[in-house]
């Protein structure tokens, strides 16, 4: 049971890392149609997440791979039951990925506008579906006695799960705007700060409602006590509430840090509400998948643990180095051409030719 708990906790950490890192670049994508005033600022926003967004996706890939290897029954039931939802996520992620590459293929304003909105739609759609999908693990889905999903796509939608999706979208947009206050310069940075202040209260309020409801769902649907789910829920509410105050005080770096803590606490609330089950059955609680009946053999978990202990620190060091290398702020100013740089040094204007 010790290794099963270890892998459950590790998967929770991987989802936390994914939401923490991908959360702010999803948030930047959501703000693309509203925040920048010109092409230089739009380019700066793309540049702020351009070097890191694909590395952030690694956390999702590893979380999926870890689930497949450590809890194959969980993986099979979740991916078959959430098939359409995951296809939608894949669609949103694909158009978002393509937008980074194809936007620069033409100088046409219409072409660039299309891919800007593609990035925004992909970021918003993926965040919404991820919130709905993860909330369903706790809220419960139809699972038969064989451990197979027995419902339909529409069974994934309820008041609680839709609120989860909306909360994730708002918190990611808030998280992205605080990230931009640390990465942008000039007017773009100030508008990002203003946007963060406007998003702070709605994001904190909706997230608080979702976290409180999650504790009640854990008690009612998953036979949990108030503790421990209430602990990360309180920490998440406190972190997002503190972010509101820090932004008002102009402490932007700390505001980003506590929104990051709020995102991690939200994922922690879901997973503490879920344990010791990995998927709750809404039709018959006895059909719920648990760590015990969904995990791989002990030997497989042992081998995986050895690999994880060796590889995980290397991956963390590499990603940390990436963020260190690309830590400089980006601005909305046009990058000077070599001719313009020479002209500035000599004090002459560049020739028309």
């Amino acid at each position: 049971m010790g290794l099963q708990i270890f892998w459950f906790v590790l998967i929770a950490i991987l989802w936390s890392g994914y939401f923490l890192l991908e959360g702010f670049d999803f948030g930047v994508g959501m703000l693309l149609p509203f925040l920048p005033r010109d092409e230089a600022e739009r380019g700066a926003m793309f540049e702020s997440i351009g070097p890191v967004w694909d590395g952030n996706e690694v956390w999702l890939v590893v979380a999926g791979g870890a689930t497949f290897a450590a809890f194959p029954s969980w993986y099979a039931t979740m991916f078959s039951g959430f098939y359409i939802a995951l296809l939608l996520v894949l669609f949103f992620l694909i158009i978002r990925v393509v937008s980074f590459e194809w936007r620069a293929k033409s100088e046409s304003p219409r072409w660039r506008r299309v891919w800007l909105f593609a990035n925004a739609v992909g970021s918003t759609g993926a965040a919404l579906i991820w919130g709905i999908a993860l909330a369903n693990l706790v809220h419960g889905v139809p699972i038969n006695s064989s451990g197979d999903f027995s419902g339909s796509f529409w069974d994934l939608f309820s008041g609680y799960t839709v609120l989860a999706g909306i909360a994730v979208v708002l918190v990611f947009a808030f998280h992205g705007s605080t990230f931009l206050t640390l990465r942008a310069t000039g007017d773009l940075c100030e508008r990002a700060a203003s946007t963060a202040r406007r998003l702070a209260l709605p994001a904190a309020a909706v997230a608080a409602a979702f976290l409180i409801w999650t504790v009640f769902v854990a008690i009612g649907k998953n036979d949990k006590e108030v503790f421990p789910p209430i602990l990360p829920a309180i920490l998440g509410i406190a972190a997002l509430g503190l972010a509101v105050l820090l932004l008002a005080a102009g402490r932007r770096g700390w505001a980003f840090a506590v929104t990051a803590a709020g995102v991690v606490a939200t994922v922690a609330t879901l997973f503490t509400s879920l344990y010791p089950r990995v998927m709750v059955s809404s039709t018959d609680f006895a059909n719920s998948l648990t760590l015990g009946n969904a995990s791989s053999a002990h030997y497989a978990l042992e081998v995986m643990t050895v690999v994880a202990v060796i590889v995980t620190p290397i991956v963390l060091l590499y990603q940390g180095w990436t963020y260190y290398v690309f830590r400089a702020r980006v601005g909305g100013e046009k990058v000077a051409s070599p001719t313009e740089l020479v002209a500035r040094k000599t004090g002459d204007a560049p020739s028309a030719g």
Side-chain angles (χ1 to χ4, degrees), residues 26-320:
F26 277 158
V28 172
M30 294 176 200
L31 297 174
L32 277 168
F34 313 106
L35 204 57
R37 296 285 175 81
D38 54 35
E39 184 57 33
E41 291 187 348
R42 286 187 282 272
M45 287 183 67
F46 273 97
E47 188 181 347
S48 71
I49 56 176
V52 297
W53 69 264
D54 48 354
N56 295 342
E57 296 282 358
V58 170
W59 290 78
L60 172 63
V61 174
V62 177
T67 305
F68 170 77
F71 301 99
S73 297
W74 181 14
Y75 180 92
T77 303
M78 183 169 62
F79 274 69
S80 60
F82 297 176
Y83 186 76
I84 297 177
L86 293 174
L87 278 179
L88 284 173
V89 169
L90 187 61
F91 167 75
F92 287 129
L93 292 179
I94 287 173
I95 63 172
R96 182 172 177 271
V97 169
V98 170
S99 72
F100 284 103
E101 302 297 330
W102 284 20
R103 177 180 175 275
K105 299 295 184 183
S106 172
E107 297 291 334
S108 166
R110 180 178 296 179
W111 172 270
R112 294 198 164 195
R113 194 178 307 115
V114 166
W115 293 111
L116 180 144
F117 277 97
N119 192 293
V121 169
S123 299
T124 306
L128 178 70
I129 300 299
W130 279 134
I132 291 172
L134 289 184
N136 267 289
L137 299 179
V138 180
H139 187 261
V141 293
I143 300 175
N144 61 27
S145 57
S146 300
D148 299 323
F149 180 81
S150 57
S152 69
F153 172 70
W154 301 110
D155 289 317
L156 303 181
F157 295 90
S158 65
Y160 168 70
T161 60
V162 170
L163 178 66
I166 295 171
V168 169
V169 169
L170 284 173
V171 170
F172 281 5
F174 180 32
H175 192 35
S177 60
T178 60
F179 172 75
L180 276 175
T181 64
L182 304 180
R183 292 285 282 134
T185 60
D187 290 342
L188 179 59
C189 178
E190 295 308 312
R191 284 198 299 278
S194 176
T195 300
R197 288 190 293 270
R198 287 197 296 269
L199 285 171
L201 280 175
V206 174
F210 164 65
L211 289 169
I212 293 168
W213 198 347
T214 298
V215 175
F216 282 100
V217 168
I219 296 169
K221 300 277 188 177
N222 198 25
D223 195 28
K224 296 283 292 185
E225 299 293 335
V226 173
F227 186 86
I230 192 66
L231 179 58
I234 290 174
L235 291 176
I237 294 169
L240 293 171
L242 182 58
V244 177
L245 300 177
L246 288 168
L247 281 168
R251 305 297 295 273
R252 297 172 183 178
W254 281 106
F256 173 74
V258 295
T259 60
V263 170
V264 172
T266 300
V267 179
T269 303
L270 286 169
F271 276 84
T272 54
S273 299
L274 190 57
Y275 178 84
R277 278 155 283 276
V278 292
M279 284 188 78
V280 175
S281 172
S282 60
T283 49
D284 186 345
F285 189 66
N287 295 339
S288 300
L289 300 183
T290 66
L291 268 65
N293 65 23
S295 70
S296 296
H298 184 76
Y299 179 72
L301 295 177
E302 284 183 332
V303 174
M304 290 166 53
T305 301
V306 172
V307 174
V309 168
I310 296 171
V311 174
T312 303
I314 298 172
V315 174
L316 291 175
L317 285 171
Y318 176 76
Q319 189 156 35

